[in-house]
Amino acid sequence: SKAFIVEEASLFGITDMEEFRESRFIVDEYGYHILYERYIGGLPIKNVYVNIHLRKEEWIQSMDANVVAPTPALYQAIAKKTISKGKVREIVRDDLKSSDSDVSVGISKAHKEAILDPPYIIWNVEARSFKTVNGQPRDWQWEFQIDAFTGEIIQKRKRPGSF
């Protein structure tokens, strides 16, 4: 499958095959499903991928791709210093405690990724806040997107199923 991507690289606008990494390989009764994602400077670029589906006989059945070329501004942003994971955790904790200081906060995931538009580098964070209300435990699940340079909360969303 990687040979196919190399062969068709110019068609997809891919100039550096080292930027594409195999990130998922699944085998099922139909064949093989291989996902390649684009990385720059060690960061995955959100929604930039090549997905190939091979039959068991190892011929390509189908493929889909989103290989929008990164801009020079993205490459420049990746070279800049970003806020730390610790600082991101602090930003999320402070935000969740700002409306209720008695709430407990846990951070389950925090990872950086590149996006194709400014600010180009973001932190994605999954968090939970807990509190006992009238003797009943309450649990809220949150998703944050945070500007990796300024620490500004770009998006905050309560996940479905949260109180």
Side-chain angles (χ1 to χ4, degrees):
S1 64
K2 188 138 187 181
F4 170 78
I5 297 172
V6 169
E7 188 175 300
E8 301 298 334
S10 64
L11 173 69
F12 296 130
I14 299 170
T15 57
D16 185 354
M17 281 305 301
E18 295 302 312
E19 291 181 351
F20 278 84
R21 298 182 190 169
E22 183 181 306
S23 62
R24 187 174 61 216
F25 185 92
I26 298 172
V27 179
D28 63 19
E29 65 270 18
Y30 304 106
Y32 311 96
H33 311 277
I34 307 157
L35 176 66
Y36 294 92
E37 293 180 301
R38 191 172 204 158
Y39 285 74
I40 297 176
L43 291 178
I45 304 176
K46 185 175 187 168
N47 296 326
V48 177
Y49 64 89
V50 176
N51 199 9
I52 298 177
H53 308 280
L54 299 167
R55 298 294 295 176
K56 289 209 179 219
E57 300 81 21
E58 297 189 12
W59 53 270
I60 295 174
Q61 177 180 347
S62 65
M63 59 112 16
D64 62 302
N66 185 23
V67 288
V68 177
T71 63
L74 173 58
Y75 284 95
Q76 291 167 359
I78 285 174
K80 293 180 183 176
K81 184 171 174 48
T82 61
I83 60 175
S84 69
K85 185 183 274 190
K87 180 64 176 171
V88 168
R89 290 172 176 266
E90 181 183 319
I91 290 166
V92 170
R93 279 192 190 94
D94 289 349
D95 179 79
L96 292 174
K97 286 184 166 280
S98 67
S99 60
D100 186 348
S101 61
D102 292 335
V103 74
S104 296
V105 175
I107 310 292
S108 55
K109 291 183 184 177
H111 69 277
K112 248 189 316 188
E113 72 179 351
I115 56 176
L116 295 170
D117 297 306
Y120 299 112
I121 312 296
I122 61 172
W123 280 96
N124 288 305
V125 182
E126 293 179 17
R128 297 178 93 160
S129 54
F130 312 90
K131 185 175 181 176
T132 300
V133 178
N134 297 327
Q136 297 295 317
R138 296 286 186 230
D139 177 4
W140 298 272
Q141 298 177 22
W142 302 92
E143 294 175 343
F144 287 80
Q145 283 188 345
I146 298 172
D147 183 316
F149 301 108
T150 66
E152 175 189 353
I153 296 172
I154 299 168
Q155 183 178 32
K156 174 184 174 183
R157 183 174 83 89
K158 192 184 300 182
R159 291 179 61 185
S162 295
F163 288 102

